[in-house]
Amino acid sequence: MKKFRKVLDGLTTSSPVNPGGSPACGSAAGTPSAAPTPRELEIQETLMSEHFQICKTVRHGFPYQPTALAFDPVQKILAIGTRSGGVRLLGRPGVDCHCQHESGAAVLQLQFLINEGALVTACADDTLHLWNLRQRRPAILHSLKFNRERITFCHLPFQSKWLYVGTERGNTHIVNIESFVLSGYVIMWNKAIELSTKTHPGPVVHLSDSPKDEGKLLIGFESGTIVMWDLRVKRADFRIYYDEAIHSVSWHHEGRQFMCSHSDGSLSMWNLRNTAKPFQVTFPHGKSQRDGRKESCKPILKVEYKTSRNSSEAFVIFSGGLSYDKAGRRPTLTIMHGKAITVLEMDYPIVDFMVLCDTPYLNEVQEPYAVVVLLEKDFVVVDLTQSNFPIFENPYPMDVHESPVTCTAYFADCPPDIIPVLYSIGAKHKKTGYSHKEWPVSGGTWTIGSQTYPEIIVTGHADGSIKFWDATAITLQMLYKLKTSKVFENPKSGDMGRSGELVEEDPYAVQMISWCPQSRIFCVVGISAHVILYRFSKYDTNTTITSLEVRLQCEMEDVISPSDTENTPCYSDPSGLSPQPQPPSPRSNTPDSTRDSIPCLKVKDRMIRMPPGYQAELVVQLLWIDGEPPQQITSLDLNSAYGLLAVGNCNGLAVVDYLQKTILLCMNTLELYGSADPFQRLTRSPRKNRQSTSDFCMRGLSNFYSDSKKRIRTSYQSLTELSDNQVSLDLERSKSPTSAPYSPSLHNDPRGTGEPVSNLRSCHYSPVFYLLDNVKGPGRKLSLPTDLKTDLDHVNGHCTSPTSQPCPSGRARVPGGPEGPRLARRGPGRPPFRKAQSAACMEVSLPVSSLTEGHSSRRAMLQQLHGVSMYSHDEHHITTYSWSERESRENSFSRSRSSSVSSIDRETKEAVTTLQFMESYGRKSDPLPTPCLWVGTSLGLVLIIPMSIPMDEQERQEDPVTVVPTGTVLMLKGSILRFSFLDFGGALIHSPYEVWRDQQAPGDPDRPRKRKLVNFSPSSSQEASGDCHLAVVCSEKQAKVFLMPTQACLYVHNITESSFLLRADVVSVCNSVCLACFCANGHIMTLSLPSLRPLLDINYLPLTDMRIARTFCFTNGGQALYLCSPTEIQRITYSQEMCDNLQEMLGELFTPIETPEAPNRGFLKGFFGGNAQTFDREELFGEASAGKGSRSLAQHIPGQGGMEGMKAAAGGVVGDLARARIALDERGQRLGELEERTALMMSSAETFSKHAHELMLKCKDKKWYQF
C-alpha cells in the first residue's frame, strides 16, 4: 500500500521537464479558479509487481501448416503436429492443449503410447521426443538425437516398449521407450535385401508387425521392395520386388494378406502364401484406354484396409489416385465398401487421415466407425456408420481463418445476458446435415472453473464478415456471424466509374470495429473508407439504410516553421500565441466531376429485409474529391448516450449524429487547432500536375492468403538502424545479402491497410500501422522548433550517428563501392496498390545481415511495409521509398546543420490516431464537465472539443448538437494511442452509454419506450474535490496524467526511448487499474495509475512479424490475445492470480481407463491358425542379448522430467505452503512458550512438594495440643 500526496497548486515542480514541451505542464500553476485552496490528492495504489506474471493460457483455431496425425483409441485423444514444431492435443470440448518443441523443427510423425498417457514425436531434425501427457501441461521426458541417419518412419506396437525407427539409408533401429536408448539390434538394409540386388532399396516408408505373429516385421522401402523380417532368427522370410514405388501398407486383421498403395495410382493385394506376384491389382480411378492400358493416375498416398463384423466386405479408404486428365478437381478421399465407391471431395489438400476403430488390437476385427481427415486448412471427421457418410459437427473453433483475419477485439466481463442472446440468434443460421452421433474425439476431462466471467472475442475478416466468439473459461465457441457485404450492391466497374477499378477482391475487408456491449450498438470500418452502424434487435424488419457521404480531404499545403514563442510551455490559451498564424489558403473552387464525387461502394437504396440480430441503420462513406480517393479511416469512436459517431483519418475529423442522421463536423486537422496551433504554418501554392492516385485506395486481401504466401524480407537493421545518408531508396534497399529477390507482386503491394488491433473500451484499431497512410496529394511541409525534437525512436537501441551528412540539393547520394549500383536502381514507376494486407498473412522475416543496410525508426519500418510517407515530431530523419525519379526528388529533403531549425522539405499529413467521447472539460474555465470529444493526432497533440447536446429526449431528436473546437491542446512525444479517465479515488471512469432497447419490438403506443442513459460521474468519496478528474494520455513514447480542468501534468513517464508502443490500454486487474503496454521490441509492460510507476517489464514476444503487432490487444482481468499464425489465436495472461489458477482451468488429457481385453483365439483357431508363438521383445532387444547401441549414432538428451508441469502444479500452492509454514512457525513458538510454562509449573510443583514433605516431617510427632 503506497500513498501519493501532491499539492495541486504549485505542480510545476511535480513533473520533470518534458523535452517535447508539453503545453499543459506548468500551466496549472497560478490558476486560482481551478484550485481555490491547497489540498492533498490521496490515491492508494494497491497494485504491486507481485500481482503480475506472463504466461500463455490457451491457443484456439486450426493448427497452422499441419504435418502429422495420431489418435489414441482407448483414451480417445487426438494429436496434430505442425511444420513449426507445435503439437495440438484435442479431446472433448474444453480439452485443448498446445505443446511446442524448442527446436521448432517440423513434426514428421506422431505415435501414442496407447492408454499410457505418453506421446512420441519424430521431428525433422532427426530427434525423437517422449512427452508425458499425465499432467495438464505436457513436458518432454526424454529425447534421442540421431546424428548420422535421417528418420523417415516410426512404428510402436500396441503394449510394447520397443519403438521401430526406419531411416533414409534403409536401416531399421530399435529404441527402448522407457530409457530412450538404442538397442544393439539393428536391421541393416543390405541384410534385408538379397545379396544379388545391385540397387539400394531406398528409404524405409513403412514398418508394421504382423497381426498373426508379432515376431514378424514387415518393412516397406520406397523403391517398391517389401521384406518380411523374422526378428527371432534375424533373417527375411520373403522379399517382394515391385515395379512401382510404395507409399503405404495396410494389413488385414487376420494377418494373411496386406494391401499396398503405389505411385501410379494403383492398389495391390498380396497373400502371404504366394508372394511372387500380387493376387489383385486395381486402379480405382483409372479407366481402360483403347490400347488396353490404364490411364495414368496420381499417387495414392495412403490406404487403410479395415474389416467390419456387420459386413463381409471390408472398408478400403485411400487418398489420391485420381487421373491426371481431370485438371482442377479438388483433393478427394475415396471410401470403397464392397462394390460401392464413394468419393468425398475436400476443400483443401489432404495432409493425412486415420480410420478410427473400436479396438486397439490389430488381430481383431477392426470395426471402423469414423475417418479423421487432416487437411491443410481444415479438420474433418466422417461418419462411417451411415451409408451417406455425413461429417460430424466440429466442436472446436477450426474456422477462425475461414476468411483471413484482419481485425481482433477482446471484451472481458461483458454483460451476462449478451452471450445467450447472441447464441440464440446465431443458432438459427447454423448449417444442417451433420451426423447425429456424438463427437468421437471425447477423451480427457474438463470442468468450468470457479473464477469465470463472460468473455467475447470479435474477429473481422477480409470478406467483410464479423464473427462473435464465446471465450468464457478459456474455451472458444462460435456465437454469431455478421456479413457487412449485404449492405452494398455488388460492385460493377461499368456502373461505378472510377471506383470500379478499386473494388476488386476484398472491397469489404474489416479495418476496425467499435462495440458498446451495454447498448449493443456496433460499428464497422471497412477498407473502402466506409463506416456501418448496426443496432441489435430480436425481431426481423423491413427498412432502408441511410447513407451519409462525407467530403473529408485536406486541400492545403503548408510549411511549419518555429514560432517566436516556441519555448512557451502552454498552447491551450489562444492569447499565448504570438504572432498569430496566417489564415489558411481558401479551399479550391475547382468543380468536382460527377464521377469523382462518389464513394467507393454503393449502398443498397431499396427496402431490405433484415433478419433478427444486428441490423444496419446507417452507412457513412468518404468520397472521392478532385480525382483523389478517400484516405483510410484511422480512428473511430461512438457513444450511445450522446448518439454521436466520430471518424478520423490523415486528412481530418468528421462527427456524425446518427440519431438525426446528420453530419455535425467535417474539418481537416489544421482547422481544429484554430489560433492554438503550436506550429506557425505558412501557406504556399499548390503543386502542379498533381498525380492522380486512383490506384491507391482499395487493395484486396486475399492474395496475401494464397498458398504461395509472399514474405517481405528485410534485414534486422531495417528495424534497428537508420542510414546516416539521407537517400531515396526503393524496395531494393531493404534486401539483405541472403534474402530472396522481391517478387513482382510485392511491388504492387508496398503498403497495406492499417490492420486494427483491439481497443478494450470500444474501438479496436492500431494507429501505428496506418496513421500516416499517405498518398500523393496535397500535404504540409513541417519544420519543428528544436525544443520539440527528441532522439530517434528505434526498435532495439541502435542509434543514428549524430554526424550524419545532409543530402545536397535534395538529391539522393549513392554510396561508393559495390553497393552503389544496386542502390541506384529505381523501383517501378507507379505502384498500382491493388492489394491490402491481412493481419493473418502479413509476415516479416528478420535475418541478421550487414550493418550498412536498413534503418531504425518506426516510420522507416512502416515505409518499407507500406511504401508511404510518414513523419512524427520526435524524428530527425525520414527515409522514403520512391517509385519514380521525380517522386524521389520531391520526397527527399535537406536537413540543416543549424541548431535552431531543421527544414523538412517533404509531403506529410497529420493523422487523427485516436478518439474518445467523455464527460470532461473543454476549457480550463469550465465550471462543470460537459460532453467532450478527445482527439489525438500523429504529431502527439491532444485536442479537446466540447459539445452541447440537448438532454430532453424529444429535443435530442429535433434540436441540433453544437460542436465547437476550442483550440485546447496538450502535447506528448509520439503519436497518441489511448485516452482514459480516473476519479480522485483512482477508479476508472467509463464513458456514458444508453441502455439497450429493442426499437423493433412491438410496444404499447400509450407507453413509448424512452432512452435510458447511464452516466458515470466521479465517485462520491471525492466530493471535496468537486467534479475534477484525471486524464491518462498514452502515446507511442510516453504516458502522462493530467488534472482536469486545470490541464496540469501530474505525472509523466517516458515508457521507451529505443523503441515504440504498438498497443496501450487501461485495464482492470485485481480490483484496480493499470496501464498495459505492448512494445515493438517484444516487451509487455504495466504501469500503475495514476503515478505511472513501472510494475512489469518482460521481454516476452519478439516482433518477428506484423501479424502480432496488428492483432495484439489487452482486456480486463489480466488477459490479452494476438494472432500467432494465420489460423490461430493465442491467449495469454499477465496476472499472477490467473497464472496460479491456470492449472485448475485447463483440462486433463489423461484419465485412468482399463485397457480392453485381448481377443480370445479359441481352441480350434489356435490349433489350425498356425504356429503362433509367444514373443518376448525384451529377450531379443535387451542389452543382455543384443548389446548396447552405437553412441555415435544417437545421443540421449534427458528432458525436464515433467519439471515444468510440476512447477506449474506447485505454483498454485506456493501461497498455501507459505501460509502453512508461517502457521507452523507460530505454532512452534506457542509450543515453546507452553513448554517453558510447563517446566516452570513442574519446578514450582516440585518445590511445593518438597516444602510440603518437610512440613509433614516436622509436624509428624506433635500432639494436637502442641500446635
Side-chain angles (χ1 to χ4, degrees):
M1 195 73 68
K2 187 174 182 181
K3 293 186 178 181
F4 296 91
R5 304 174 183 273
K6 286 198 177 287
V7 179
L8 299 184
D9 48 346
L11 290 168
T12 54
T13 60
S14 66
S15 178
V17 177
N18 178 17
S22 171
C25 295
S27 62
T31 310
S33 60
T37 58
R39 59 183 181 272
E40 290 186 340
L41 171 63
E42 297 186 5
I43 296 181
Q44 296 180 345
E45 296 186 357
T46 58
L47 289 179
M48 306 296 290
S49 298
E50 293 76 15
H51 291 108
F52 296 94
Q53 181 182 346
I54 298 287
C55 70
K56 294 181 180 179
T57 55
V58 68
R59 181 172 294 195
H60 303 297
F62 179 75
Y64 183 55
Q65 294 181 333
T67 56
L69 180 68
F71 183 73
D72 187 330
V74 179
Q75 289 288 325
K76 297 189 181 303
I77 293 291
L78 187 78
I80 300 175
T82 68
R83 190 176 301 175
S84 60
V87 178
R88 282 285 290 279
L89 298 162
L90 301 171
R92 68 176 65 251
V95 179
D96 189 342
C97 182
H98 175 263
C99 310
Q100 179 66 42
H101 294 91
E102 293 183 0
S103 64
V107 178
L108 300 180
Q109 196 173 354
L110 299 167
Q111 285 281 326
F112 273 104
L113 276 67
I114 296 177
N115 205 27
E116 296 291 337
L119 175 71
V120 175
T121 58
C123 297
D125 59 351
D126 306 309
T127 306
L128 298 173
H129 303 277
L130 178 64
W131 292 83
N132 179 18
L133 307 184
R134 292 180 178 245
Q135 54 194 41
R136 295 176 187 259
R137 291 278 191 176
I140 293 178
L141 296 175
H142 301 282
S143 297
L144 188 65
K145 169 71 175 176
F146 281 75
N147 298 319
R148 296 181 297 178
E149 297 196 46
R150 306 295 304 272
I151 299 174
T152 58
F153 195 86
C154 297
H155 170 63
L156 180 64
F158 179 47
Q159 294 181 329
S160 171
K161 68 175 184 178
W162 298 96
L163 174 71
Y164 302 115
V165 180
T167 66
E168 191 176 29
R169 293 186 179 180
N171 303 324
T172 302
H173 302 275
I174 301 174
V175 178
N176 188 324
I177 292 297
E178 294 180 350
S179 59
F180 237 60
V181 295
L182 276 178
S183 168
Y185 194 110
V186 183
I187 304 174
M188 305 299 292
W189 68 271
N190 53 358
K191 294 182 179 180
I193 65 175
E194 292 180 349
L195 296 178
S196 60
T197 305
K198 298 181 180 181
T199 58
H200 191 279
V204 176
V205 296
H206 177 79
L207 292 169
S208 62
D209 49 348
S210 171
K212 187 178 180 181
D213 186 357
E214 295 178 350
K216 304 290 181 67
L217 181 67
L218 189 69
I219 306 174
F221 297 93
E222 187 181 54
S223 63
T225 301
I226 301 174
V227 176
M228 177 68 83
W229 185 263
D230 193 326
L231 296 171
R232 300 182 185 89
V233 299
K234 300 182 181 180
R235 62 178 177 84
D237 273 5
F238 63 83
R239 299 177 178 90
I240 297 174
Y241 299 96
Y242 198 67
D243 296 336
E244 294 295 334
I246 293 177
H247 286 280
S248 68
V249 180
S250 182
W251 281 95
H252 188 276
H253 79 277
E254 294 179 350
R256 297 176 182 176
Q257 58 188 21
F258 59 88
M259 180 180 292
C260 301
S261 66
H262 301 280
S263 58
D264 62 346
S266 64
L267 296 174
S268 61
M269 292 281 292
W270 300 83
N271 197 306
L272 298 187
R273 294 181 179 179
N274 182 13
T275 58
K277 62 178 181 178
F279 72 88
Q280 182 180 353
V281 177
T282 58
F283 288 81
H285 297 296
K287 296 180 181 179
S288 299
Q289 299 178 348
R290 293 181 179 179
D291 56 1
R293 294 182 302 174
K294 294 287 186 179
E295 61 181 347
S296 59
C297 296
K298 298 177 183 179
I300 296 179
L301 301 179
K302 186 176 181 180
V303 64
E304 293 272 9
Y305 186 25
K306 304 296 181 183
T307 55
S308 175
R309 291 189 180 92
N310 298 330
S311 174
S312 60
E313 301 291 344
F315 280 93
V316 178
I317 304 171
F318 61 90
S319 61
L322 294 179
S323 59
Y324 280 104
D325 60 348
K326 297 179 180 178
R329 285 196 62 176
R330 294 187 293 181
T332 61
L333 181 77
T334 304
I335 302 175
M336 299 173 59
H337 189 208
K339 295 182 179 180
I341 300 179
T342 304
V343 179
L344 305 178
E345 290 190 344
M346 303 295 170
D347 294 331
Y348 306 102
I350 297 175
V351 176
D352 196 2
F353 74 90
M354 180 168 290
V355 179
L356 308 187
C357 303
D358 285 335
T359 176
Y361 296 97
L362 297 179
N363 58 350
E364 189 178 7
V365 178
Q366 299 298 289
E367 203 65 43
Y369 59 89
V371 181
V372 177
V373 187
L374 180 63
L375 308 177
E376 280 190 359
K377 298 176 184 178
D378 203 355
F379 176 70
V380 178
V381 181
V382 181
D383 187 358
L384 292 179
T385 61
Q386 301 183 38
S387 58
N388 58 342
F389 302 123
I391 65 172
F392 289 88
E393 184 177 4
N394 199 330
Y396 313 124
M398 294 292 187
D399 57 346
V400 173
H401 64 289
E402 183 179 10
S403 176
V405 178
T406 58
C407 172
T408 59
Y410 194 3
F411 299 88
D413 203 8
C414 299
D417 60 336
I418 191 69
I419 291 180
V421 168
L422 289 175
Y423 181 80
S424 62
I425 298 297
K428 300 177 182 178
H429 305 284
K430 281 192 173 183
K431 297 180 181 179
T432 58
Y434 293 110
S435 174
H436 299 292
K437 293 198 172 183
E438 185 182 356
W439 177 252
V441 185
S442 57
T445 57
W446 178 77
T447 56
I448 299 179
S450 57
Q451 298 181 351
T452 59
Y453 44 84
E455 300 175 70
I456 291 180
I457 294 175
V458 184
T459 56
H461 300 266
D463 62 352
S465 60
I466 303 288
K467 293 182 180 180
F468 292 80
W469 306 85
D470 179 9
T472 305
I474 71 170
T475 60
L476 196 69
Q477 293 294 325
M478 181 72 152
L479 289 176
Y480 175 71
K481 183 177 180 180
L482 174 68
K483 294 182 178 180
T484 62
S485 59
K486 293 183 176 180
V487 175
F488 303 99
E489 301 283 358
N490 293 329
K492 297 180 181 179
S493 57
D495 298 338
M496 297 188 61
R498 177 74 62 88
S499 62
E501 304 174 7
L502 308 175
V503 183
E504 286 194 347
E505 297 182 13
D506 302 300
Y508 315 110
V510 178
Q511 192 169 348
M512 66 184 78
I513 65 174
S514 181
W515 187 37
C516 179
Q518 290 78 14
S519 62
R520 302 184 187 177
I521 295 180
F522 188 71
C523 268
V524 179
V525 173
I527 197 175
S528 300
H530 63 267
V531 181
I532 310 175
L533 185 140
Y534 291 88
R535 286 185 182 270
F536 187 84
S537 175
K538 296 181 180 179
Y539 304 90
D540 58 354
T541 182
N542 294 318
T543 183
T544 57
I545 303 173
T546 305
S547 177
L548 294 179
E549 297 178 348
V550 179
R551 298 173 59 87
L552 189 60
Q553 184 152 351
C554 179
E555 299 183 2
M556 58 189 64
E557 299 189 2
D558 310 280
V559 175
I560 298 180
S561 61
S563 64
D564 297 338
T565 59
E566 60 184 7
N567 294 324
T568 303
C570 178
Y571 297 97
S572 59
D573 188 0
S575 63
L577 284 179
S578 177
Q580 295 293 333
Q582 294 186 7
S585 61
R587 293 181 179 270
S588 173
N589 295 324
T590 305
D592 297 329
S593 62
T594 303
R595 72 172 188 174
D596 282 341
S597 298
I598 58 174
C600 295
L601 298 174
K602 183 180 179 181
V603 180
K604 293 180 179 178
D605 54 1
R606 59 183 183 276
M607 188 72 68
I608 302 175
R609 180 190 176 277
M610 297 185 182
Y614 273 104
Q615 301 169 351
E617 177 179 306
L618 175 67
V619 178
V620 180
Q621 293 181 287
L622 305 188
L623 298 178
W624 283 65
I625 301 176
D626 295 336
E628 297 290 338
Q631 296 295 296
Q632 297 297 312
I633 295 173
T634 60
S635 54
L636 170 73
D637 191 35
L638 70 88
N639 189 280
S640 57
Y642 302 157
L644 299 180
L645 172 69
V647 176
N649 65 1
C650 64
N651 286 332
L653 172 69
V655 180
V656 176
D657 184 346
Y658 66 79
L659 294 180
Q660 298 184 14
K661 309 294 191 298
T662 58
I663 301 174
L664 303 178
L665 178 71
C666 182
M667 302 175 67
N668 61 49
T669 314
L670 176 60
E671 294 172 341
L672 294 175
Y673 293 105
S675 60
D677 192 352
F679 305 103
Q680 182 178 358
R681 309 174 195 256
L682 305 178
T683 60
R684 70 171 187 175
S685 59
R687 173 166 54 88
K688 295 181 180 180
N689 299 328
R690 184 173 62 189
Q691 182 181 358
S692 173
T693 55
S694 61
D695 294 330
F696 280 58
C697 184
M698 296 295 92
R699 289 90 65 191
L701 284 153
S702 56
N703 73 317
F704 279 90
Y705 201 64
S706 61
D707 292 337
S708 56
K709 184 177 59 180
K710 307 172 181 66
R711 289 175 177 264
I712 295 182
R713 300 185 180 275
T714 176
S715 64
Y716 178 76
Q717 283 72 27
S718 67
L719 301 182
T720 58
E721 183 185 3
L722 183 64
S723 174
D724 290 343
N725 301 319
Q726 302 301 324
V727 295
S728 290
L729 304 177
D730 58 9
L731 281 178
E732 292 282 338
R733 179 69 175 88
S734 64
K735 286 186 183 180
S736 65
T738 59
S739 63
Y742 286 98
S743 62
S745 58
L746 284 181
H747 290 293
N748 296 334
D749 309 281
R751 72 168 189 172
T753 62
E755 298 299 342
V757 184
S758 166
N759 173 338
L760 170 66
R761 174 172 45 83
S762 62
C763 186
H764 300 259
Y765 59 93
S766 178
V768 171
F769 301 100
Y770 45 73
L771 57 92
L772 288 172
D773 196 6
N774 192 17
V775 299
K776 304 304 172 190
R780 265 185 282 137
K781 306 288 182 172
L782 302 184
S783 175
L784 296 179
T786 54
D787 64 332
L788 296 183
K789 299 185 182 299
T790 64
D791 293 335
L792 279 174
D793 51 343
H794 8 270
V795 176
N796 288 313
H798 296 271
C799 298
T800 306
S801 170
T803 60
S804 58
Q805 299 295 328
C807 184
S809 304
R811 292 187 179 181
R813 237 180 355 105
V814 179
E819 292 292 323
R822 185 172 67 85
L823 297 180
R825 283 178 286 183
R826 292 186 292 110
R830 178 181 174 185
F833 293 128
R834 294 291 197 184
K835 306 295 180 183
Q837 293 171 349
S838 164
C841 308
M842 188 61 207
E843 190 165 328
V844 179
S845 300
L846 300 176
V848 177
S849 63
S850 171
L851 290 176
T852 62
E853 298 222 7
H855 26 262
S856 158
S857 69
R858 170 183 60 77
R859 311 293 182 190
M861 178 182 70
L862 298 177
Q863 285 168 348
Q864 180 182 353
L865 297 178
H866 306 307
V868 296
S869 304
M870 301 187 180
Y871 175 75
S872 90
H873 75 263
D874 57 333
E875 290 176 323
H876 289 262
H877 309 280
I878 288 87
T879 302
T880 60
Y881 295 102
S882 56
W883 301 97
S884 67
E885 188 174 357
R886 179 178 62 82
E887 292 174 353
S888 174
R889 289 195 299 270
E890 291 177 355
N891 291 337
S892 62
F893 64 92
S894 300
R895 187 168 65 88
S896 172
R897 299 299 295 273
S898 169
S899 61
S900 61
V901 65
S902 292
S903 169
I904 301 178
D905 181 22
R906 64 189 303 279
E907 292 182 328
T908 185
K909 294 180 182 179
E910 182 178 4
V912 177
T913 57
T914 185
L915 297 165
Q916 182 169 355
F917 289 101
M918 191 64 197
E919 294 280 338
S920 186
Y921 299 87
R923 307 170 185 85
K924 294 182 182 180
S925 58
D926 288 351
L928 294 173
T930 59
C932 293
L933 174 62
W934 284 62
V935 182
T937 73
S938 58
L939 294 184
L941 302 180
V942 179
L943 298 95
I944 308 175
I945 303 177
M947 299 173 293
S948 175
I949 302 177
M951 300 303 296
D952 182 74
E953 182 172 358
Q954 184 175 0
E955 293 178 355
R956 179 65 184 86
Q957 297 290 340
E958 300 174 356
D959 295 348
V961 176
T962 305
V963 181
V964 183
T966 61
T968 301
V969 177
L970 310 175
M971 183 176 287
L972 281 79
K973 292 192 300 182
S975 62
I976 306 300
L977 297 181
R978 184 66 63 242
F979 298 125
S980 189
F981 302 90
L982 307 176
D983 60 18
F984 277 2
L988 185 65
I989 304 177
H990 298 276
S991 298
Y993 65 85
E994 175 191 1
V995 178
W996 174 72
R997 58 194 177 104
D998 197 338
Q999 295 184 348
Q1000 306 300 333
D1004 186 358
D1006 298 332
R1007 299 180 58 186
R1009 296 182 301 275
K1010 295 183 178 181
R1011 298 180 69 207
K1012 181 180 180 182
L1013 306 182
V1014 177
N1015 192 3
F1016 295 91
S1017 60
S1019 62
S1020 59
S1021 62
Q1022 59 177 78
E1023 293 179 356
S1025 60
D1027 292 325
C1028 299
H1029 61 261
L1030 304 177
V1032 181
V1033 184
C1034 183
S1035 73
E1036 62 185 8
K1037 286 291 188 179
Q1038 66 177 186
K1040 288 185 178 181
V1041 177
F1042 296 96
L1043 174 66
M1044 303 302 292
T1046 64
Q1047 301 175 14
C1049 182
L1050 300 183
Y1051 303 97
V1052 60
H1053 177 72
N1054 293 320
I1055 300 175
T1056 177
E1057 295 293 340
S1058 61
S1059 186
F1060 58 93
L1061 294 186
L1062 299 168
R1063 182 74 191 180
D1065 284 302
V1066 175
V1067 294
S1068 175
V1069 181
C1070 299
N1071 298 321
S1072 186
V1073 292
C1074 68
L1075 177 63
C1077 307
F1078 174 52
C1079 198
N1081 58 13
H1083 285 245
I1084 293 179
M1085 298 169 282
T1086 58
L1087 305 174
S1088 66
L1089 290 176
S1091 66
L1092 300 177
R1093 175 172 47 91
L1095 298 174
L1096 175 72
D1097 188 354
I1098 294 180
N1099 186 7
Y1100 170 74
L1101 192 65
L1103 184 61
T1104 55
D1105 57 70
M1106 297 306 298
R1107 181 191 312 110
I1108 298 173
R1110 292 168 184 264
T1111 58
F1112 194 99
C1113 54
F1114 294 99
T1115 190
N1116 293 326
Q1119 296 194 74
L1121 67 80
Y1122 59 91
L1123 213 66
C1124 59
S1125 74
T1127 62
E1128 294 171 289
I1129 295 175
Q1130 178 67 59
R1131 292 167 66 179
I1132 65 173
T1133 181
Y1134 50 95
S1135 168
Q1136 178 66 58
E1137 181 182 4
M1138 188 168 184
C1139 289
D1140 295 340
N1141 299 326
L1142 185 59
Q1143 291 294 319
E1144 301 177 2
M1145 300 170 66
L1146 297 175
E1148 288 277 1
L1149 290 169
F1150 178 79
T1151 53
I1153 300 176
E1154 187 176 351
T1155 304
E1157 295 183 0
N1160 187 9
R1161 292 176 59 87
F1163 174 77
L1164 293 178
K1165 193 171 183 179
F1167 185 79
F1168 296 103
N1171 53 352
Q1173 304 175 14
T1174 58
F1175 179 61
D1176 188 358
R1177 293 187 177 91
E1178 181 68 29
E1179 181 180 350
L1180 285 175
F1181 307 145
E1183 184 178 342
S1185 58
K1188 294 183 178 180
S1190 174
R1191 293 185 178 180
S1192 61
L1193 177 62
Q1195 176 186 0
H1196 176 253
I1197 304 173
Q1200 298 295 326
M1203 287 302 296
E1204 180 183 351
M1206 293 172 62
K1207 289 178 181 178
V1213 297
V1214 167
D1216 296 335
L1217 290 176
R1219 286 188 292 270
R1221 184 177 299 172
I1222 294 173
L1224 286 174
D1225 293 340
E1226 294 175 354
R1227 184 170 179 268
Q1229 292 179 0
R1230 295 192 190 97
L1231 288 175
E1233 294 174 358
L1234 180 61
E1235 186 178 359
E1236 291 177 358
R1237 287 197 219 101
T1238 304
L1240 290 175
M1241 292 177 63
M1242 290 178 64
S1243 177
S1244 61
E1246 290 177 359
T1247 304
F1248 177 81
S1249 175
K1250 181 178 179 181
H1251 288 305
H1253 182 69
E1254 291 177 352
L1255 182 61
M1256 184 270 296
L1257 292 177
K1258 184 177 180 180
C1259 302
K1260 179 179 179 181
D1261 297 330
K1262 288 185 178 182
K1263 302 296 183 181
W1264 62 272
Y1265 55 87
Q1266 292 178 339
F1267 287 94

